[in-house]
mmCIF file with all atom_site columns, all heavy atoms in Angstrom:
data_model
loop_
_atom_site.group_PDB
_atom_site.id
_atom_site.type_symbol
_atom_site.label_atom_id
_atom_site.label_alt_id
_atom_site.label_comp_id
_atom_site.label_asym_id
_atom_site.label_entity_id
_atom_site.label_seq_id
_atom_site.pdbx_PDB_ins_code
_atom_site.Cartn_x
_atom_site.Cartn_y
_atom_site.Cartn_z
_atom_site.occupancy
_atom_site.B_iso_or_equiv
_atom_site.pdbx_formal_charge
_atom_site.auth_seq_id
_atom_site.auth_comp_id
_atom_site.auth_asym_id
_atom_site.auth_atom_id
_atom_site.pdbx_PDB_model_num
ATOM 1   N N   . LYS A 1 215 ? -3.056 19.552 -63.724 1.00 0.00 ? 215 LYS A N   1
ATOM 2   C CA  . LYS A 1 215 ? -2.418 18.520 -64.493 1.00 0.00 ? 215 LYS A CA  1
ATOM 3   C C   . LYS A 1 215 ? -0.967 18.523 -64.174 1.00 0.00 ? 215 LYS A C   1
ATOM 4   O O   . LYS A 1 215 ? -0.259 17.485 -64.091 1.00 0.00 ? 215 LYS A O   1
ATOM 5   C CB  . LYS A 1 215 ? -2.653 18.708 -65.932 1.00 0.00 ? 215 LYS A CB  1
ATOM 6   C CG  . LYS A 1 215 ? -2.111 17.639 -66.838 1.00 0.00 ? 215 LYS A CG  1
ATOM 7   C CD  . LYS A 1 215 ? -2.520 17.865 -68.271 1.00 0.00 ? 215 LYS A CD  1
ATOM 8   C CE  . LYS A 1 215 ? -2.045 16.823 -69.205 1.00 0.00 ? 215 LYS A CE  1
ATOM 9   N NZ  . LYS A 1 215 ? -2.358 16.953 -70.599 1.00 0.00 ? 215 LYS A NZ  1
ATOM 10  N N   . LYS A 1 216 ? -0.392 19.641 -63.980 1.00 0.00 ? 216 LYS A N   1
ATOM 11  C CA  . LYS A 1 216 ? 1.174  19.625 -63.601 1.00 0.00 ? 216 LYS A CA  1
ATOM 12  C C   . LYS A 1 216 ? 1.233  19.100 -62.195 1.00 0.00 ? 216 LYS A C   1
ATOM 13  O O   . LYS A 1 216 ? 2.321  18.431 -62.064 1.00 0.00 ? 216 LYS A O   1
ATOM 14  C CB  . LYS A 1 216 ? 1.441  21.207 -63.700 1.00 0.00 ? 216 LYS A CB  1
ATOM 15  C CG  . LYS A 1 216 ? 2.991  21.386 -63.472 1.00 0.00 ? 216 LYS A CG  1
ATOM 16  C CD  . LYS A 1 216 ? 3.323  22.800 -63.632 1.00 0.00 ? 216 LYS A CD  1
ATOM 17  C CE  . LYS A 1 216 ? 4.844  23.019 -63.346 1.00 0.00 ? 216 LYS A CE  1
ATOM 18  N NZ  . LYS A 1 216 ? 5.293  24.431 -63.495 1.00 0.00 ? 216 LYS A NZ  1
ATOM 19  N N   . ALA A 1 217 ? 0.432  19.339 -61.374 1.00 0.00 ? 217 ALA A N   1
ATOM 20  C CA  . ALA A 1 217 ? 0.663  18.763 -59.989 1.00 0.00 ? 217 ALA A CA  1
ATOM 21  C C   . ALA A 1 217 ? 0.467  17.220 -60.016 1.00 0.00 ? 217 ALA A C   1
ATOM 22  O O   . ALA A 1 217 ? 1.211  16.602 -59.169 1.00 0.00 ? 217 ALA A O   1
ATOM 23  C CB  . ALA A 1 217 ? -0.456 19.324 -59.068 1.00 0.00 ? 217 ALA A CB  1
ATOM 24  N N   . GLU A 1 218 ? -0.317 16.729 -60.903 1.00 0.00 ? 218 GLU A N   1
ATOM 25  C CA  . GLU A 1 218 ? -0.499 15.270 -60.993 1.00 0.00 ? 218 GLU A CA  1
ATOM 26  C C   . GLU A 1 218 ? 0.869  14.522 -61.464 1.00 0.00 ? 218 GLU A C   1
ATOM 27  O O   . GLU A 1 218 ? 1.208  13.533 -61.098 1.00 0.00 ? 218 GLU A O   1
ATOM 28  C CB  . GLU A 1 218 ? -1.572 14.802 -62.037 1.00 0.00 ? 218 GLU A CB  1
ATOM 29  C CG  . GLU A 1 218 ? -2.986 15.035 -61.290 1.00 0.00 ? 218 GLU A CG  1
ATOM 30  C CD  . GLU A 1 218 ? -3.248 14.029 -60.263 1.00 0.00 ? 218 GLU A CD  1
ATOM 31  O OE1 . GLU A 1 218 ? -2.875 12.810 -60.301 1.00 0.00 ? 218 GLU A OE1 1
ATOM 32  O OE2 . GLU A 1 218 ? -3.829 14.423 -59.158 1.00 0.00 ? 218 GLU A OE2 1
ATOM 33  N N   . ASN A 1 219 ? 1.585  15.263 -62.348 1.00 0.00 ? 219 ASN A N   1
ATOM 34  C CA  . ASN A 1 219 ? 2.834  14.596 -62.989 1.00 0.00 ? 219 ASN A CA  1
ATOM 35  C C   . ASN A 1 219 ? 4.031  15.063 -62.160 1.00 0.00 ? 219 ASN A C   1
ATOM 36  O O   . ASN A 1 219 ? 5.146  14.888 -62.635 1.00 0.00 ? 219 ASN A O   1
ATOM 37  C CB  . ASN A 1 219 ? 2.920  15.047 -64.422 1.00 0.00 ? 219 ASN A CB  1
ATOM 38  C CG  . ASN A 1 219 ? 1.761  14.437 -65.197 1.00 0.00 ? 219 ASN A CG  1
ATOM 39  O OD1 . ASN A 1 219 ? 1.318  13.329 -64.882 1.00 0.00 ? 219 ASN A OD1 1
ATOM 40  N ND2 . ASN A 1 219 ? 1.370  15.205 -66.177 1.00 0.00 ? 219 ASN A ND2 1
ATOM 41  N N   . MET A 1 220 ? 3.975  15.706 -61.019 1.00 0.00 ? 220 MET A N   1
ATOM 42  C CA  . MET A 1 220 ? 5.057  16.305 -60.317 1.00 0.00 ? 220 MET A CA  1
ATOM 43  C C   . MET A 1 220 ? 5.852  15.218 -59.628 1.00 0.00 ? 220 MET A C   1
ATOM 44  O O   . MET A 1 220 ? 5.280  14.147 -59.157 1.00 0.00 ? 220 MET A O   1
ATOM 45  C CB  . MET A 1 220 ? 4.508  17.235 -59.278 1.00 0.00 ? 220 MET A CB  1
ATOM 46  C CG  . MET A 1 220 ? 5.586  18.086 -58.556 1.00 0.00 ? 220 MET A CG  1
ATOM 47  S SD  . MET A 1 220 ? 4.799  19.229 -57.281 1.00 0.00 ? 220 MET A SD  1
ATOM 48  C CE  . MET A 1 220 ? 3.825  20.245 -58.459 1.00 0.00 ? 220 MET A CE  1
ATOM 49  N N   . VAL A 1 221 ? 7.161  15.373 -59.642 1.00 0.00 ? 221 VAL A N   1
ATOM 50  C CA  . VAL A 1 221 ? 8.126  14.495 -58.910 1.00 0.00 ? 221 VAL A CA  1
ATOM 51  C C   . VAL A 1 221 ? 8.848  15.293 -57.906 1.00 0.00 ? 221 VAL A C   1
ATOM 52  O O   . VAL A 1 221 ? 9.376  16.426 -58.075 1.00 0.00 ? 221 VAL A O   1
ATOM 53  C CB  . VAL A 1 221 ? 9.122  13.909 -59.918 1.00 0.00 ? 221 VAL A CB  1
ATOM 54  C CG1 . VAL A 1 221 ? 10.138 12.958 -59.249 1.00 0.00 ? 221 VAL A CG1 1
ATOM 55  C CG2 . VAL A 1 221 ? 8.315  13.136 -60.994 1.00 0.00 ? 221 VAL A CG2 1
ATOM 56  N N   . GLY A 1 222 ? 8.976  14.666 -56.640 1.00 0.00 ? 222 GLY A N   1
ATOM 57  C CA  . GLY A 1 222 ? 9.614  15.380 -55.638 1.00 0.00 ? 222 GLY A CA  1
ATOM 58  C C   . GLY A 1 222 ? 10.971 15.370 -55.693 1.00 0.00 ? 222 GLY A C   1
ATOM 59  O O   . GLY A 1 222 ? 11.739 14.877 -56.657 1.00 0.00 ? 222 GLY A O   1
ATOM 60  N N   . THR A 1 223 ? 11.815 15.923 -54.718 1.00 0.00 ? 223 THR A N   1
ATOM 61  C CA  . THR A 1 223 ? 13.254 16.020 -54.682 1.00 0.00 ? 223 THR A CA  1
ATOM 62  C C   . THR A 1 223 ? 13.746 14.830 -53.888 1.00 0.00 ? 223 THR A C   1
ATOM 63  O O   . THR A 1 223 ? 13.014 14.236 -53.051 1.00 0.00 ? 223 THR A O   1
ATOM 64  C CB  . THR A 1 223 ? 13.735 17.201 -53.947 1.00 0.00 ? 223 THR A CB  1
ATOM 65  O OG1 . THR A 1 223 ? 13.186 17.352 -52.605 1.00 0.00 ? 223 THR A OG1 1
ATOM 66  C CG2 . THR A 1 223 ? 13.148 18.522 -54.752 1.00 0.00 ? 223 THR A CG2 1
ATOM 67  N N   . PRO A 1 224 ? 14.962 14.409 -54.151 1.00 0.00 ? 224 PRO A N   1
ATOM 68  C CA  . PRO A 1 224 ? 15.574 13.298 -53.395 1.00 0.00 ? 224 PRO A CA  1
ATOM 69  C C   . PRO A 1 224 ? 15.533 13.414 -51.891 1.00 0.00 ? 224 PRO A C   1
ATOM 70  O O   . PRO A 1 224 ? 15.176 12.462 -51.131 1.00 0.00 ? 224 PRO A O   1
ATOM 71  C CB  . PRO A 1 224 ? 17.002 13.099 -54.010 1.00 0.00 ? 224 PRO A CB  1
ATOM 72  C CG  . PRO A 1 224 ? 17.053 13.767 -55.274 1.00 0.00 ? 224 PRO A CG  1
ATOM 73  C CD  . PRO A 1 224 ? 15.876 14.850 -55.221 1.00 0.00 ? 224 PRO A CD  1
ATOM 74  N N   . GLN A 1 225 ? 15.776 14.693 -51.424 1.00 0.00 ? 225 GLN A N   1
ATOM 75  C CA  . GLN A 1 225 ? 15.868 14.874 -49.938 1.00 0.00 ? 225 GLN A CA  1
ATOM 76  C C   . GLN A 1 225 ? 14.414 14.834 -49.465 1.00 0.00 ? 225 GLN A C   1
ATOM 77  O O   . GLN A 1 225 ? 14.179 14.296 -48.305 1.00 0.00 ? 225 GLN A O   1
ATOM 78  C CB  . GLN A 1 225 ? 16.382 16.324 -49.668 1.00 0.00 ? 225 GLN A CB  1
ATOM 79  C CG  . GLN A 1 225 ? 17.810 16.502 -49.990 1.00 0.00 ? 225 GLN A CG  1
ATOM 80  C CD  . GLN A 1 225 ? 18.111 16.901 -51.469 1.00 0.00 ? 225 GLN A CD  1
ATOM 81  O OE1 . GLN A 1 225 ? 17.091 16.874 -52.245 1.00 0.00 ? 225 GLN A OE1 1
ATOM 82  N NE2 . GLN A 1 225 ? 19.265 17.234 -51.829 1.00 0.00 ? 225 GLN A NE2 1
ATOM 83  N N   . GLY A 1 226 ? 13.347 15.406 -50.091 1.00 0.00 ? 226 GLY A N   1
ATOM 84  C CA  . GLY A 1 226 ? 12.032 15.331 -49.702 1.00 0.00 ? 226 GLY A CA  1
ATOM 85  C C   . GLY A 1 226 ? 11.414 14.029 -49.609 1.00 0.00 ? 226 GLY A C   1
ATOM 86  O O   . GLY A 1 226 ? 10.876 13.595 -48.580 1.00 0.00 ? 226 GLY A O   1
ATOM 87  N N   . VAL A 1 227 ? 11.692 13.169 -50.672 1.00 0.00 ? 227 VAL A N   1
ATOM 88  C CA  . VAL A 1 227 ? 11.188 11.835 -50.748 1.00 0.00 ? 227 VAL A CA  1
ATOM 89  C C   . VAL A 1 227 ? 11.823 10.991 -49.742 1.00 0.00 ? 227 VAL A C   1
ATOM 90  O O   . VAL A 1 227 ? 11.133 10.146 -49.055 1.00 0.00 ? 227 VAL A O   1
ATOM 91  C CB  . VAL A 1 227 ? 11.304 11.342 -52.184 1.00 0.00 ? 227 VAL A CB  1
ATOM 92  C CG1 . VAL A 1 227 ? 10.948 9.867  -52.187 1.00 0.00 ? 227 VAL A CG1 1
ATOM 93  C CG2 . VAL A 1 227 ? 10.481 12.040 -53.179 1.00 0.00 ? 227 VAL A CG2 1
ATOM 94  N N   . ALA A 1 228 ? 13.133 11.194 -49.546 1.00 0.00 ? 228 ALA A N   1
ATOM 95  C CA  . ALA A 1 228 ? 13.821 10.407 -48.489 1.00 0.00 ? 228 ALA A CA  1
ATOM 96  C C   . ALA A 1 228 ? 13.233 10.671 -47.111 1.00 0.00 ? 228 ALA A C   1
ATOM 97  O O   . ALA A 1 228 ? 13.148 9.798  -46.223 1.00 0.00 ? 228 ALA A O   1
ATOM 98  C CB  . ALA A 1 228 ? 15.402 10.775 -48.504 1.00 0.00 ? 228 ALA A CB  1
ATOM 99  N N   . LYS A 1 229 ? 12.911 11.955 -46.822 1.00 0.00 ? 229 LYS A N   1
ATOM 100 C CA  . LYS A 1 229 ? 12.395 12.325 -45.557 1.00 0.00 ? 229 LYS A CA  1
ATOM 101 C C   . LYS A 1 229 ? 10.940 11.714 -45.314 1.00 0.00 ? 229 LYS A C   1
ATOM 102 O O   . LYS A 1 229 ? 10.631 11.216 -44.222 1.00 0.00 ? 229 LYS A O   1
ATOM 103 C CB  . LYS A 1 229 ? 12.285 13.792 -45.570 1.00 0.00 ? 229 LYS A CB  1
ATOM 104 C CG  . LYS A 1 229 ? 11.818 14.345 -44.072 1.00 0.00 ? 229 LYS A CG  1
ATOM 105 C CD  . LYS A 1 229 ? 11.816 15.902 -44.047 1.00 0.00 ? 229 LYS A CD  1
ATOM 106 C CE  . LYS A 1 229 ? 11.502 16.422 -42.688 1.00 0.00 ? 229 LYS A CE  1
ATOM 107 N NZ  . LYS A 1 229 ? 11.528 17.874 -42.714 1.00 0.00 ? 229 LYS A NZ  1
ATOM 108 N N   . GLU A 1 230 ? 10.218 11.600 -46.507 1.00 0.00 ? 230 GLU A N   1
ATOM 109 C CA  . GLU A 1 230 ? 8.812  10.922 -46.384 1.00 0.00 ? 230 GLU A CA  1
ATOM 110 C C   . GLU A 1 230 ? 9.078  9.437  -46.103 1.00 0.00 ? 230 GLU A C   1
ATOM 111 O O   . GLU A 1 230 ? 8.193  8.869  -45.212 1.00 0.00 ? 230 GLU A O   1
ATOM 112 C CB  . GLU A 1 230 ? 8.120  11.013 -47.725 1.00 0.00 ? 230 GLU A CB  1
ATOM 113 C CG  . GLU A 1 230 ? 7.444  12.282 -47.890 1.00 0.00 ? 230 GLU A CG  1
ATOM 114 C CD  . GLU A 1 230 ? 6.165  12.346 -47.035 1.00 0.00 ? 230 GLU A CD  1
ATOM 115 O OE1 . GLU A 1 230 ? 5.342  11.376 -47.133 1.00 0.00 ? 230 GLU A OE1 1
ATOM 116 O OE2 . GLU A 1 230 ? 5.916  13.224 -46.218 1.00 0.00 ? 230 GLU A OE2 1
#
Side-chain angles (χ1 to χ4, degrees):
K215 187 175 181 181
K216 185 178 179 181
E218 283 292 318
N219 299 324
M220 188 180 298
V221 179
T223 62
Q225 297 86 351
V227 173
K229 190 176 180 180
E230 275 286 310

